[in-house]
Amino acid sequence: MSLGRPVPTGLAVALFAGALVPAALAVASPAFGWLALTVDVAVLLLCAVDFARAPRAADLEAHREVEPILSSGVDNPVRWVLHARTDTPVRGELRDEPPLDVESHGHRQPFTLEAGALSTRLTYRVRPPSRGDARFGDVHLRLSGPLGLCSRQVRLPASRDVKVYPDLSALSREALTLARASEAVSARTQRRKAMEGREFESLREYRPGDDFRHIDWKSSARHGHTLVRTWQPERHQPVLLLLDCGRHMAGRVQGRRKLDHAVDAALRLARVSLDAGDVVGVVAFASDVRAFLPPRKGAEHLRLITESLYRAEAGLEESDYGRAFDFAFARQTRRALVVLFTDLVDPDASATLLTRTLALRPRHLPVVASLLDEDLEAAATDVPGDATAAYARQAAQRMEAEYRRTATTLRDAGALVVRAPARAFGAAALNMYLDVKARGRL
């Protein structure tokens, strides 16, 4: 194992700097030159002694604790456990090598293991901006000598590969509550009434205000009191998620790619749909189909969906909606809720999308979900201060007008349109699904 390399501390540098004073006075008297030389040699010898007495790599054991799967867009903890293999105090600084392009907080920290202490823990956080594979590097330890003049810097092998998935914490049932928390009380009451659905669930006693059409007269006569049928949303209905991985989804909104936001929203929607008993399929596409999972149900299928999407990347190519739709619906014959995550700001792409999406009606129920770029929205309304700002405002207004035309055409033909800013995109997709199920539109 390498002995490491010496690193002078700030105190040593200050002592060397102090020797410059007699060196400057050596112009007046040669005695000052000898004094400066004596100070430099003494400090150098002390540094050598301090480096020799500094703890070695063998005196310390370092172990990184990190989950094999991290979540993108949120803070993930990384812990270092340091064990002393000596009875003498060990002081120093740890510097980890987090993956490239990952925002980290506290990956460089001082530590102290006093005499007799067995171990200590250091914790910091990393925030991956996007999904994919990532790699932690080795760890660097700077171990201080007892005199505080020189440290021993060593590098310990600790590289490790991890996977970065979409934010899996958002897939909990609590996310559903958060998605609807902003609704008014009256709106929630109306939605609960609409959640009666079309599939028989059970019988219960009649209550004032119940619909007379729901009374089960035969069961009421048999039991001697009035019973009404209760209903629930139908289960085992197909939900098909199509993710556009073309160039329009490579842009960034709120510091993350549009595709990252779309994948997060798609997984949240898939989780809720599977929990509701529906079957979920996925098609990821750009110029061709990149990933396909036929509609299935169950927790294992959610794992497969997550595994297939965590490496999805937005390429700089045009998306072929026709090929994706032909591929998907050559295998899907039952009526399905078709949710397309894409962008609606390009006129040419929107025209093609309109033709293929409207062709799904009335056999399927299409939904087009796109992100609202708040910066673009602000540019369309800001008062320009110069010619460049005026051109930017005109371009933003033209893009917004194109989106409104496309969205209006889709709605008029019976399709659904979801548009929300990044922070509310997943919630908007969930509420759309709840409305469709509540109203029995499938």
Side-chain angles (χ1 to χ4, degrees), residues 121-143:
R121 286 175 176 265
L122 305 176
T123 301
Y124 73 97
R125 297 187 177 277
V126 294
R127 182 187 288 259
S130 58
R131 301 153 290 102
D133 296 316
R135 183 180 181 85
F136 284 89
D138 296 332
V139 62
H140 301 263
L141 298 175
R142 185 170 291 183
L143 306 175

Side-chain angles (χ1 to χ4, degrees), residues 266-325:
L267 283 177
R268 293 176 67 180
L269 181 54
R271 170 62 182 272
V272 173
S273 301
L274 291 170
D275 284 347
D278 288 333
V279 293
V280 179
V282 173
V283 177
F285 69 96
S287 59
D288 56 3
V289 175
R290 297 184 174 182
F292 171 69
L293 287 175
R296 296 285 188 273
K297 61 181 180 179
E300 175 62 18
H301 190 55
L302 179 63
R303 187 192 68 78
L304 294 176
I305 293 175
T306 306
E307 185 72 23
S308 67
L309 293 182
Y310 94 93
R311 283 179 177 161
E313 297 288 345
L316 300 179
E317 57 194 270
E318 290 292 339
S319 298
D320 192 334
Y321 297 105
R323 176 175 293 186
F325 279 39

